[in-house]
Amino acid sequence: MGDLVEQARRSGQPVEFSEQGERRPRSMDVELAAYRVVQEALTNAMKYATGQPTRVLIRHGEERVEIGVTTDGPLPVTSPAAVPAPREPGPEGGRGLAGLRARVRMLDGELEAGPRPRGGFEVRATIPSEPEPVQE
């Protein structure tokens, strides 16, 4: 995820990155979903809050990985244009926050995204380290 943070910084987005806990081996699906959460959140920060301070926090736990990406910004506006519009997943697996939410749910995780009460935007995800096997 460091590469995503560096890429955002090179694009002019001030990003603070921190990790807590011990990094553990996880399935490729979990790693990819976590990466995509950070990628989508940083993309939205650069698109909708260019130049605003952004923080990425990854918490590694025994049973889950928690991701938080917050971007500072002006106080919330009641205009629908102030919030990134959800895009419906396409046949290739989805784009944007809606597709990402579906990807995280497939791993028994949760994703929440929305404006912060004091301005800005926040994306939070919790993904189990070892999702339950799919039963047929």
Side-chain angles (χ1 to χ4, degrees):
M1 291 191 221
D3 62 324
L4 292 173
V5 171
E6 284 306 312
Q7 185 176 36
R9 287 175 179 159
R10 284 193 304 273
S11 297
Q13 191 74 11
V15 181
E16 179 183 313
F17 178 69
S18 58
E19 289 184 272
Q20 297 176 349
E22 183 180 329
R23 211 172 150 77
R24 293 172 168 74
R26 294 189 170 88
S27 75
M28 183 56 78
D29 289 339
V30 171
E31 289 291 333
L32 183 58
Y35 185 89
R36 287 285 299 119
V37 168
V38 173
Q39 183 179 43
E40 182 66 22
L42 288 176
T43 298
N44 283 344
M46 290 185 294
K47 186 173 181 179
Y48 299 105
T50 304
Q52 295 294 324
T54 302
R55 289 165 299 288
V56 177
L57 172 62
I58 311 294
R59 288 189 186 112
H60 302 281
E62 284 188 37
E63 297 180 5
R64 69 185 64 80
V65 60
E66 298 174 2
I67 302 150
V69 182
T70 57
T71 301
D72 294 344
L75 290 175
V77 180
T78 56
S79 164
V83 177
R87 293 173 278 174
E88 290 300 316
E92 71 282 354
R95 298 248 193 270
L97 293 173
L100 194 54
R101 187 172 286 114
R103 177 188 295 257
V104 169
R105 282 187 184 150
M106 285 175 39
L107 298 171
D108 300 319
E110 296 178 16
L111 182 129
E112 296 176 7
R116 297 170 55 209
R118 296 183 181 254
F121 201 79
E122 181 172 29
V123 175
R124 289 189 321 256
T126 303
I127 306 170
S129 295
E130 296 183 26
E132 294 293 319
V134 177
Q135 297 192 3
E136 300 184 26

